[in-house]
Amino acid sequence: MLPVALESLIAALKTLCATFPDRRTGGNTVYEMADIGLAAFATFFMQSPSFLAHQTALARGRGTSNCQTLFAMDRVPTDNHIRSMLDPVPPAALLPMFDKTLGMLEVGGGLAAFQRLDGHVLIALDGTEYFCSQKLSCPNCSSRARANGKTEHFHAMVSAALVAPGHVRALPLEPEFIVPQDGAEKQDCEARATHRWLAAHGPKYARLKPIYLGDDLSSRQATCEAVQAFGSHFLFTAKPSSHKTLYSWLDGAEVPAMENRIKQGARFVTHRYRWLEGLPLRDGKDALLVNWLEIEIADHAGKVTYRNSFVTDLAVSKNNVAELAACGRARWKIENESFNTLKTKGYNLEHNFGHGQQHLSAVLATMNLIAFAMHTVADLVDAAWAAARAAAGARRRFFEDLRAITTYLVFPTWAALLKTLGYGALPPAIPDG
Ligand SMILES: [Zn+2]
């Protein structure tokens, strides 16, 4: 456990934000780019649209605020200023933070909890829309026609996250934004963005022995080969409707099967597995040979309640088919834990800062993912944070407490704040300014 995980990650973010391009000229540079970046980040990290306003009010009375003490800022810029200064920043400028959060997880001993299938990690890739409007738009919006004749503008990304079955946390990795690409004839799409993600980040993550998880769109030969190009593995959903050749080979073949009865409450459910190795992924002589597995869950009355099937380049046998299926199913976690959290649990985008005309929407989405990554790392490797979370009970309650207490009190350090939340320690006295 690392008592200073948060401080060092916030310091790293400050260093990174200081390198943002600053297009101001002349004397209009009261606020450093580092303050501007950290101010946006703090809003997401505290999950409080009014955090900056409260801190500005605190600073008026006390001469300092939690922006200075907890987020290492010098001054607190306004929402309007943040919007106009962050809009030109390319989101790629923030990506090094994902290495820092993963590095902190590793140093703090939190990576082992994500390892499955004999030392592999699971990286789930998924397409997610994070903005949609018929009114607001920017040149980086994608668009589509709606049935009512109106045009809908949206932003989407391929998100990536470390996930593991049976593990309640997910760690976001770098996103790849789906945006109109220079010189491309067709609108950008999830498959292209997935390939860009793999080309940009796949080689770096190969050391973690990743197994990539993806939906039925991913289980195409080009994507499987892109994963294998640097020695990594895939475990992708493969539906019968989009893999006719593969499924025609299954017909009439002798397919190994097994089932486990699992106690769920007072009743038993049945997990049935089937698998077969060496099937062609598609038609044609150059088809990649893959291994296939299926899981079917039946309730106590024998009614099938869940069925899914996957293709992988990992060997499948009765010894590992249940764990492989559990890993394949862990992909839902990226949706449930990363993005439902982003969308519904207080990480709302755009509440303060608007949509922008260049990169603002993607920059804020990235800030949000970094806040989520830092929460995950703090949950897993920061003992004081974990104790404060445990003391609050539900996640929502923890952030309510965090918001409330920092509205009225200035804490000199995260350690002091977390000690008050976690162990009921008296808040340290800060002299009135
Ligand atoms: Zn836009």
Side-chain angles (χ1 to χ4, degrees):
M1 288 279 188
L2 298 171
V4 293
L6 277 180
E7 275 90 348
S8 66
L9 287 172
I10 288 168
L13 181 61
K14 180 173 185 170
T15 306
L16 200 59
C17 293
T19 67
F20 284 175
D22 183 349
R23 302 203 175 156
R24 292 168 298 190
T25 52
N28 179 28
T29 50
V30 174
Y31 300 103
E32 300 290 338
M33 287 308 284
D35 282 348
I36 290 163
L38 284 166
F41 170 78
T43 307
F44 295 123
F45 188 85
M46 300 302 274
Q47 301 198 35
S48 170
S50 46
F51 179 69
L52 298 178
H54 287 315
Q55 299 312 305
T56 303
L58 267 181
R60 236 176 263 135
R62 319 260 169 107
T64 189
S65 79
N66 295 296
C67 282
Q68 283 78 13
T69 56
L70 302 182
F71 290 97
M73 293 161 58
D74 292 324
R75 294 157 192 266
V76 185
T78 63
D79 289 354
N80 272 338
H81 197 54
I82 293 168
R83 168 175 37 224
S84 64
M85 294 308 297
L86 287 185
D87 197 20
V89 174
L94 279 165
L95 296 189
M97 269 317 286
F98 292 95
D99 270 346
K100 304 274 185 206
T101 44
L102 175 63
M104 189 62 78
L105 183 75
E106 286 188 272
V107 170
L111 187 65
F114 284 97
Q115 288 172 326
R116 292 293 184 278
L117 291 159
D118 200 17
H120 292 283
V121 299
L122 307 174
I123 298 180
L125 299 174
D126 210 0
T128 309
E129 260 183 46
Y130 63 91
F131 169 81
C132 179
S133 172
Q134 292 189 355
K135 291 180 187 148
L136 284 177
S137 72
C138 74
N140 282 325
C141 273
S142 301
S143 55
R144 63 189 157 221
R146 301 302 299 178
N148 64 5
K150 291 198 173 145
T151 300
E152 191 165 85
H153 306 282
F154 64 99
H155 282 252
M157 63 181 159
V158 167
S159 57
L162 281 187
V163 295
H167 191 324
V168 296
R169 307 272 177 253
L171 182 74
L173 305 175
E174 296 88 343
E176 175 66 36
F177 290 95
I178 300 174
V179 283
Q181 301 285 304
D182 287 343
E185 284 173 23
K186 288 196 217 157
Q187 185 152 291
D188 197 19
C189 67
E190 184 177 332
R192 288 201 188 103
T194 298
H195 282 247
R196 286 199 303 276
W197 191 98
L198 288 168
H201 310 297
K204 176 180 76 179
Y205 288 122
R207 70 180 177 88
L208 299 175
K209 300 208 299 172
I211 300 166
Y212 287 93
L213 309 178
D215 63 11
D216 191 63
L217 276 176
S218 303
S219 53
R220 301 296 185 270
Q221 183 148 337
T223 309
C224 296
E225 286 175 344
V227 166
Q228 290 185 304
F230 32 81
S232 297
H233 302 283
F234 59 85
L235 177 58
F236 293 145
T237 300
K239 290 181 184 163
S241 53
S242 47
H243 294 80
K244 293 209 162 69
T245 301
L246 186 148
Y247 278 85
S248 73
W249 281 73
L250 280 169
D251 283 342
E254 197 170 311
V255 181
M258 68 167 208
E259 63 178 54
N260 296 335
R261 268 162 57 82
I262 292 170
K263 195 149 194 269
Q264 231 174 44
R267 287 173 156 153
F268 280 89
V269 295
T270 306
H271 288 198
R272 292 190 201 107
Y273 302 96
R274 299 198 301 150
W275 66 94
L276 200 59
E277 296 192 314
L279 296 169
L281 185 59
R282 65 179 186 195
D283 226 357
K285 281 187 189 143
D286 62 347
L288 186 67
L289 294 182
V290 298
N291 303 326
W292 170 88
L293 62 137
E294 177 188 72
I295 174 173
E296 196 175 84
I297 299 176
D299 68 12
H300 65 282
K303 186 178 167 234
V304 174
T305 55
Y306 176 86
R307 180 186 288 127
N308 210 343
S309 42
F310 306 92
V311 290
T312 180
D313 57 341
L314 295 161
V316 188
S317 70
K318 73 174 182 359
N319 297 323
N320 72 355
V321 68
E323 190 177 8
L324 277 167
C327 289
R329 294 179 71 198
R331 197 182 67 79
W332 68 266
K333 293 168 78 73
I334 193 171
E335 181 61 31
N336 282 15
E337 299 191 10
S338 301
F339 296 103
N340 282 351
T341 305
L342 293 185
K343 286 171 187 164
T344 63
K345 291 192 184 159
Y347 296 75
N348 299 316
L349 293 164
E350 322 224 339
H351 47 219
N352 300 43
F353 305 117
H355 189 68
Q357 278 304 306
Q358 288 175 271
H359 304 300
L360 186 66
S361 186
V363 168
L364 297 179
T366 308
M367 286 281 193
N368 226 328
L369 289 170
I370 291 169
F372 188 90
M374 282 174 56
H375 290 157
T376 295
V377 170
D379 286 343
L380 297 174
V381 308
D382 191 321
W385 176 277
R389 279 285 309 260
R395 181 181 194 285
R396 186 173 53 81
R397 174 77 194 280
F398 169 73
F399 282 101
E400 280 168 9
D401 291 353
L402 196 59
R403 273 193 293 272
I405 202 166
T406 55
T407 297
Y408 301 106
L409 298 172
V410 180
F411 288 86
T413 59
W414 280 101
L417 167 56
L418 295 171
K419 218 169 155 184
T420 298
L421 285 177
Y423 305 109
L426 278 179
I430 293 234
D432 279 350

